[in-house]
Amino acid sequence: MAEQTAQRKGPDLNIDRILSSRENLVRILDNLKEGIIAHDLERRIFFFNRAAEQITGYGREEILGKDCHEAFGAPFCGERCAFCGKDLPELGERTEYSQNIATKDGDARSIDMTVTKMLDENGEFFGVLASFRDVTELIDLKIRSGESTRFANIVGRDRKMQQLYTQIKEVAGFDIPVHIFGETGTGKELVAAAIHNESPRASGPFVPINCGALPEELIETELFGHVKGAFTGAVRDKKGRFELADKGTVFLDEVAELSQRMQVKLLRFLQEKTFEKVGGEKTISVDVRVISATNKALKKEVKKGSFREDLFFRLNVIPIEIPPLRERRSDIPLLIDHFLRRAAESTGSKTPTFSKEAIPYALNYQWPGNVRELENAVQYAVVKCNGGSVGPEDLPPEIRKCDMVCQRPGPAPKLTAEAIEEALKKTGGNKSKAARLLGVGRATLYRRLKDDD
């Protein structure tokens, strides 16, 4: 019995000897590929391993003992920082998320982070341990290989979406204006937020404003702020969106809706990076990146005389176009699954499914409202199906009606069994490509195949 006890205690004693030495513990943690950072409840950093130095570009001598917000110039965890308030945060035992950071040299890096609550021998909360790994190259590889099904909260694997992801990564590192063009509902704000989050400004604020949603008398104070007494109801000084976005990004959605007067003020700001509040005399300087967007072709607006040409050239330094949903139909099933999961998470219920009969309706519909309309349709269908499988009868009326009008029952002139078989052979069994080869909609081909079964 004594020998068994000695054998059992031997390895434990060796482990205790190793861990009792701070130098040995540091050596172990320095050999990990994951970055390790630890701070106390006052955000003072007391550990920073070698991998953390390599990923962030900061040396230990610059970090240790400092407030993590001051050491990195901003919260290392960005908007997810739980230590930004005055009260002690209520952290879970373990939290995992993805985050974009700016290195010391200003490069944007994508990291996967795990945050763990640290307790002392009495079970008291005394600090936070965060481990993180750099996944920037992995994400880039997935994009280049066309394997990425989503990027920065944008869902899609279509070739045009892969090109969009590449564009976002390319422009994010250059601190110059970007203009996004896309139809209503294509996700212009998502793209703008992705550019911000992939940029060195990721730790700064992202401030959106819809220029078309505010009346003319309010847009100037929303953008530039006002001083107390500037007008009736101005009972205190107010910061505008540009001031709130200092060190971050302003997103001007529907910028074509700005009046000529506001276009002049915006042009001056873009040229000088300064402005005056409404009713104020003090010139304010801020450091912001401007991303604009519209569902109108700005060149046409310039020709019509409704948009200033000089402002167009200031905003349209890097143009990005988002494809409408009808031009990336292969992403529709992927988006449907995404919205079904989101609907289930919001209700806490089991994720419903889309039936094989309902999918062709979604593939045939033109989606004038794009991804936003698809999300609304999925939410409508989830309510209608009452927790079951979504069938054609659960879809919004306009989608069912479109399929009946555009794809009437019965075979098309060339849709013989022999033609279908030949088309499937040529496309390697790909029904979508076969439908295009035959000159018919997918729903029609699926229906004919079902009838032949």
Side-chain angles (χ1 to χ4, degrees):
M1 181 66 71
E3 291 180 359
Q4 292 178 352
T5 302
Q7 289 176 356
R8 187 169 63 247
K9 286 185 176 180
D12 292 340
L13 288 173
N14 289 334
I15 292 173
D16 289 342
R17 188 180 304 130
I18 292 170
L19 296 182
S20 65
S21 167
R22 174 179 171 80
E23 290 75 15
N24 284 333
L25 183 58
V26 170
R27 190 175 295 113
I28 291 170
L29 295 176
D30 268 343
N31 279 280
L32 296 177
K33 292 183 179 180
E34 290 79 15
I36 304 290
I37 180 173
H39 66 72
D40 61 20
L41 300 185
E42 295 181 1
R43 300 194 310 230
R44 289 190 301 255
I45 300 170
F46 60 83
F47 189 81
F48 199 69
N49 76 340
R50 186 176 296 139
E53 290 183 304
Q54 294 169 347
I55 294 171
T56 67
Y58 289 89
R60 289 179 218 196
E61 68 281 358
E62 303 173 89
I63 298 296
L64 292 177
K66 293 184 179 179
D67 181 315
C68 68
H69 288 194
E70 296 175 2
F72 297 108
F76 185 74
C77 300
E79 295 180 357
R80 293 179 178 269
C81 178
F83 284 80
C84 287
K86 296 180 180 179
D87 299 330
L88 193 65
E90 294 183 5
L91 293 177
E93 293 300 320
R94 180 186 176 96
T95 305
E96 297 180 356
Y97 53 85
S98 296
Q99 173 72 23
N100 291 303
I101 63 168
T103 67
K104 183 180 178 180
D105 293 333
D107 295 329
R109 310 298 293 177
S110 299
I111 61 173
D112 283 345
M113 180 178 285
T114 301
V115 178
T116 306
K117 192 175 182 178
M118 291 194 293
L119 306 176
D120 62 18
E121 61 273 10
N122 298 317
E124 295 293 325
F125 179 28
F126 76 91
V128 170
L129 177 73
S131 64
F132 53 95
R133 62 190 185 99
D134 190 345
V135 294
T136 308
E137 292 182 1
L138 177 61
I139 292 174
D140 290 345
L141 180 61
K142 284 186 175 181
I143 292 173
R144 289 197 301 269
S145 64
E147 293 180 6
S148 183
T149 60
R150 62 176 60 227
F151 174 74
N153 295 322
I154 306 170
V155 177
R157 67 158 65 94
D158 183 88
R159 179 179 55 84
K160 291 185 177 181
M161 295 305 293
Q162 301 294 329
Q163 292 172 348
L164 177 64
Y165 300 159
T166 300
Q167 275 188 293
I168 291 171
K169 293 286 289 182
E170 289 174 346
V171 306
F174 297 92
D175 204 12
I176 51 182
V178 173
H179 180 70
I180 303 167
F181 170 75
E183 296 179 4
T184 298
T186 50
K188 295 186 287 292
E189 186 168 340
L190 275 179
V191 172
I195 294 171
H196 168 77
N197 290 329
E198 293 297 318
S199 77
R201 294 180 178 270
S203 58
F206 174 76
V207 181
I209 181 169
N210 190 324
C211 301
L214 293 169
E216 172 67 18
E217 59 271 18
L218 290 181
I219 187 70
E220 184 174 0
T221 186
E222 282 295 319
L223 289 178
F224 304 116
H226 64 248
V227 299
K228 181 180 178 180
F231 50 84
T232 303
V235 295
R236 59 179 178 81
D237 287 359
K238 176 185 176 180
K239 289 185 177 181
R241 302 297 178 94
F242 284 115
E243 194 170 359
L244 291 171
D246 193 27
K247 308 300 182 185
T249 303
V250 164
F251 173 54
L252 300 175
D253 197 9
E254 304 305 342
V255 70
E257 303 302 320
L258 288 175
S259 67
Q260 290 283 338
R261 186 177 72 87
M262 283 307 304
Q263 288 179 36
V264 172
K265 289 182 176 292
L266 177 58
L267 178 63
R268 183 198 165 195
F269 171 77
L270 291 172
Q271 291 171 334
E272 303 176 12
K273 297 293 185 181
T274 61
F275 62 90
E276 292 84 35
K277 292 185 177 183
V278 175
E281 298 178 352
K282 181 182 177 182
T283 298
I284 298 172
S285 176
V286 293
D287 173 22
V288 301
R289 180 182 193 172
V290 175
I291 299 177
S292 59
T294 182
N295 59 6
K296 297 180 179 179
L298 279 187
K299 282 188 178 180
K300 290 184 179 179
E301 298 302 308
V302 170
K303 289 181 180 179
K304 286 165 53 179
S306 61
F307 201 82
R308 293 180 63 94
E309 186 175 31
D310 47 4
L311 180 57
F312 166 75
F313 286 121
R314 281 282 180 179
L315 293 173
N316 199 52
V317 178
I318 300 180
I320 290 180
E321 185 171 350
I322 307 176
L325 188 54
R326 64 181 175 275
E327 292 182 7
R328 56 180 186 109
R329 292 182 185 275
S330 60
D331 282 339
I332 290 176
L334 189 67
L335 286 162
I336 288 174
D337 287 342
H338 171 69
F339 293 135
L340 285 173
R341 286 194 299 272
R342 181 184 290 181
E345 289 172 1
S346 65
T347 59
S349 59
K350 182 181 177 182
T351 304
T353 59
F354 245 63
S355 69
K356 291 182 180 179
E357 292 77 20
I359 287 290
Y361 285 81
L363 293 173
N364 264 346
Y365 186 59
Q366 290 299 303
W367 300 108
N370 292 291
V371 179
R372 186 183 300 135
E373 185 183 9
L374 175 60
E375 181 177 13
N376 293 340
V378 170
Q379 292 174 345
Y380 176 98
V382 167
V383 173
K384 283 274 289 185
C385 76
N386 196 26
S389 178
V390 174
E393 67 280 1
D394 299 314
L395 299 173
E398 63 271 17
I399 298 176
R400 301 198 309 270
K401 182 180 178 182
C402 176
D403 188 75
M404 289 186 292
V405 171
C406 301
Q407 303 293 336
R408 290 185 173 85
K414 296 181 181 179
L415 209 57
T416 62
E418 292 78 11
I420 292 174
E421 184 179 357
E422 183 64 21
L424 289 171
K425 283 182 180 179
K426 289 182 179 179
T427 59
N430 187 308
K431 296 183 179 67
S432 299
K433 292 181 179 179
R436 288 197 296 270
L437 188 63
L438 292 164
V440 299
R442 273 176 275 198
T444 299
L445 178 60
Y446 292 170
R447 187 164 46 240
R448 179 56 194 272
L449 289 170
K450 184 180 177 182
D451 292 340
D452 289 344
D453 288 343

